[in-house]
Amino acid sequence: MKQFAIEPMFGSGGWEVAGYNIAFTNSALWMLITTVLLWAFVAGGMKRQLVPGRWQMAVETFTGFIDDMLEANVGKEGRKYVPYIFSLFMFILFANLLGLLPIGVLGLHPFTFTSHFTVTGVLAILSFSIVLIVGFWKHGLHFFSLFVPHGTPWWLIWLIPVIELISFMVRPFSLALRLFVAMMAGHVLLKVLASFVIGSVNAGAVYGGFIGVPSLVLMVAISALEILVAGIQAYVFALLTSLYINDAENLH
């Protein structure tokens, strides 16, 4: 599990604030790298050429994809959320893909910070906070009617709101947990298979042939699957966030 360990960078022990150690860690470093690469990717695709190049087409494709998703789930009102959902989707996508790099960059070992519940939890709480702010800002106390679905029988009025409220409050937890579990489980599986390959090779040709080779083939397949999962999890996070925003925007 050492691959998930958060460690201070550059030999810094950090600062003590209210009894807590605050240091610039490998997790913070790869968040910064992800942010810089994402900024460079978007900046490079904003040339607004009449005949767009491949880079500009890539940025416009992702932007159009998010815009279509929000319009389908929220409607025309969803267009104002494109910058946030686009940033959220691309940040998670870049983070997941960078964490799958097989080699270090400038001596830095790749670190998947989305495999930590604290990171995915903050992203989920941020999205959930936007839903609450928009809901109460636009509908006031009428936002509480979300917990009483239309057509609820009068004799279930005492029960359905409680169930709906619990379901609503669980949303940020499930949103964060889904991404965290998917990324952590995939990396653990790859590490286990890698240990099989190394151990079988050291054990000799027989074990290397019967255990090492199949494990290596499976590692390649799992790595390809992890690339797909990296994109799917970013999409699911953005999709569910857009659906939650729809509840706040289009309350009936």
Side-chain angles (χ1 to χ4, degrees):
M1 302 297 286
K2 188 179 184 300
Q3 61 177 316
F4 302 113
I6 296 180
E7 301 172 348
M9 297 296 298
F10 314 118
S12 173
W15 306 274
E16 290 290 334
V17 178
Y20 292 93
N21 181 269
I22 299 178
F24 188 78
T25 64
N26 52 350
S27 179
L29 175 63
W30 281 92
M31 288 185 201
L32 179 61
I33 293 174
T34 300
T35 303
V36 171
L37 290 178
L38 177 55
W39 178 86
F41 172 72
V42 175
M46 295 182 65
K47 297 180 180 179
R48 300 180 182 275
Q49 297 176 345
L50 184 61
V51 180
R54 294 180 180 178
W55 199 329
Q56 182 178 338
M57 287 184 62
V59 174
E60 290 179 355
T61 298
F62 280 113
T63 306
F65 170 72
I66 297 299
D67 183 57
D68 292 342
M69 182 180 68
L70 282 167
E71 184 174 352
N73 294 320
V74 184
K76 295 297 182 181
E77 292 291 326
R79 179 155 294 179
K80 59 177 174 286
Y81 299 103
V82 169
Y84 172 70
I85 300 297
F86 173 81
S87 301
L88 184 67
F89 170 78
M90 296 301 295
F91 182 75
I92 295 175
L93 178 62
F94 272 45
N96 293 346
L97 292 177
L98 286 174
L100 290 173
L101 291 177
I103 57 176
V105 178
L106 299 178
L108 301 173
H109 189 275
F111 184 84
T112 310
F113 55 83
T114 47
S115 64
H116 282 262
F117 189 69
T118 50
V119 176
T120 60
V122 169
L123 294 177
I125 290 174
L126 178 61
S127 299
F128 191 66
S129 299
I130 292 175
V131 172
L132 292 177
I133 292 171
V134 171
F136 283 110
W137 179 272
K138 188 171 183 178
H139 305 285
L141 295 179
H142 182 61
F143 183 65
F144 286 110
S145 65
L146 178 68
F147 306 126
V148 185
H150 181 71
T152 301
W154 64 268
W155 50 276
L156 285 178
I157 290 296
W158 66 274
L159 178 61
I160 296 300
V162 176
I163 297 175
E164 290 291 332
L165 177 61
I166 294 175
S167 174
F168 184 78
M169 298 304 295
V170 167
R171 284 180 176 182
F173 179 78
S174 62
L175 192 62
L177 188 65
R178 183 181 293 104
L179 175 59
F180 150 70
V181 169
M183 301 314 300
M184 188 174 191
H187 283 62
V188 169
L189 180 58
L190 286 174
K191 189 64 175 287
V192 171
L193 291 173
S195 67
F196 285 168
V197 174
I198 296 174
S200 60
V201 170
N202 292 334
V206 176
Y207 286 102
F210 284 98
I211 299 178
V213 173
S215 297
L216 180 61
V217 173
L218 189 56
M219 267 192 68
V220 174
I222 295 296
S223 297
L225 180 61
E226 277 292 282
I227 295 175
L228 180 61
V229 169
I232 291 176
Q233 288 302 318
Y235 169 71
V236 169
F237 202 102
L239 175 63
L240 292 178
T241 300
S242 68
L243 292 175
Y244 298 157
I245 290 176
N246 176 60
D247 289 341
E249 279 285 348
N250 303 314
L251 182 64
H252 298 293

